[in-house]
Amino acid sequence: MNTIVIYNSQTGFTERYAKWIAEAAGARCLSLSEAKKRNLEKYDAIVFGSWACAGGISKLGWFKGNLERWAGRKLIVFCVGASPMDSPDIAPALRQNFTESELAKVKAFYCPGGLNYEKMSAPSRLMMKMFRKTLQAKRDKTEDQREMLKIISASYDISDRKYIQPILECLKD
């Protein structure tokens, strides 16, 4: 199967996953800016990966804008976020990014990445700082909120090649 993996990465986690997927699938791998310059009609499978923030997937509109043009191809989206794989918020967040008809055409996956404050854009760092301050100011924090505050207080990396397995299985089907 002629496959391309396209990624939009802010701090490197999504790019890492995209390259792992491309390597394992024998696929071509391009950044979104490069892919926009190319004719993607020759590919049987198109995998798009981007970073997630507050439940939304960055640049997903570009991918969704091409769904009709890519009809009949295997279409996969993966997003990379800071939440661990077992977070109960992942499945609802993935679903909220797609309509039912889009989900009939696209398979969506989540891969845990982490936070890299050093590579984060200034607006993203500011947003995270505001979120931390809001959590810190909360008087009666739940256990989940205390854990979240601990997790987002510093950069961390929970990415792992094992999380690409469901994507690779989907490409084989």
Side-chain angles (χ1 to χ4, degrees):
M1 181 178 294
N2 193 12
T3 303
I4 188 164
V5 180
I6 301 162
Y7 66 90
N8 173 53
S9 188
Q10 182 183 43
T11 60
F13 295 108
T14 306
E15 180 179 6
R16 179 185 302 156
Y17 274 111
K19 289 180 176 178
W20 286 344
I21 293 164
E23 177 187 316
R28 179 136 194 224
C29 187
L30 293 175
S31 69
L32 177 58
S33 60
E34 282 298 310
K36 285 180 174 181
K37 301 173 192 172
R38 306 288 169 95
N39 177 0
L40 304 177
E41 308 300 316
K42 67 181 180 180
Y43 294 99
D44 304 311
I46 299 171
V47 180
F48 174 68
S50 193
W51 51 279
C53 181
I57 302 172
S58 178
K59 305 295 183 188
L60 183 62
W62 169 82
F63 182 85
K64 289 168 61 167
N66 287 294
L67 288 179
E68 293 308 315
R69 181 180 315 144
W70 297 337
R73 291 172 177 78
K74 184 167 288 214
L75 302 174
I76 297 172
V77 169
F78 71 93
C79 66
V80 179
S83 295
M85 195 65 168
D86 60 359
S87 171
D89 300 327
I90 292 170
L94 274 177
R95 278 193 304 277
Q96 81 178 10
N97 284 278
F98 300 95
T99 65
E100 288 302 317
S101 64
E102 289 168 343
L103 280 173
K105 301 170 190 170
V106 177
K107 299 295 182 214
F109 298 90
Y110 177 78
C111 298
L115 290 173
N116 186 332
Y117 287 108
E118 295 75 25
K119 290 185 177 179
M120 209 176 273
S121 69
S124 292
R125 276 195 313 273
L126 179 60
M127 182 185 69
M128 290 302 297
K129 183 177 183 178
M130 290 170 41
F131 181 52
R132 277 194 317 273
K133 289 207 180 281
T134 301
L135 276 179
Q136 287 168 337
K138 207 164 170 58
R139 288 184 189 263
D140 296 320
K141 294 177 194 66
T142 65
E143 182 59 36
D144 286 345
Q145 290 168 332
R146 283 193 293 276
E147 184 64 25
M148 176 63 75
L149 188 56
K150 189 168 65 173
I151 289 171
I152 66 170
S153 293
S155 295
Y156 63 94
D157 181 350
I158 55 174
S159 58
D160 192 305
R161 282 182 186 264
K162 69 183 177 186
Y163 298 119
I164 68 171
Q165 287 310 312
I167 298 167
L168 298 175
E169 291 300 318
C170 184
L171 282 170
K172 289 178 188 173
D173 291 343

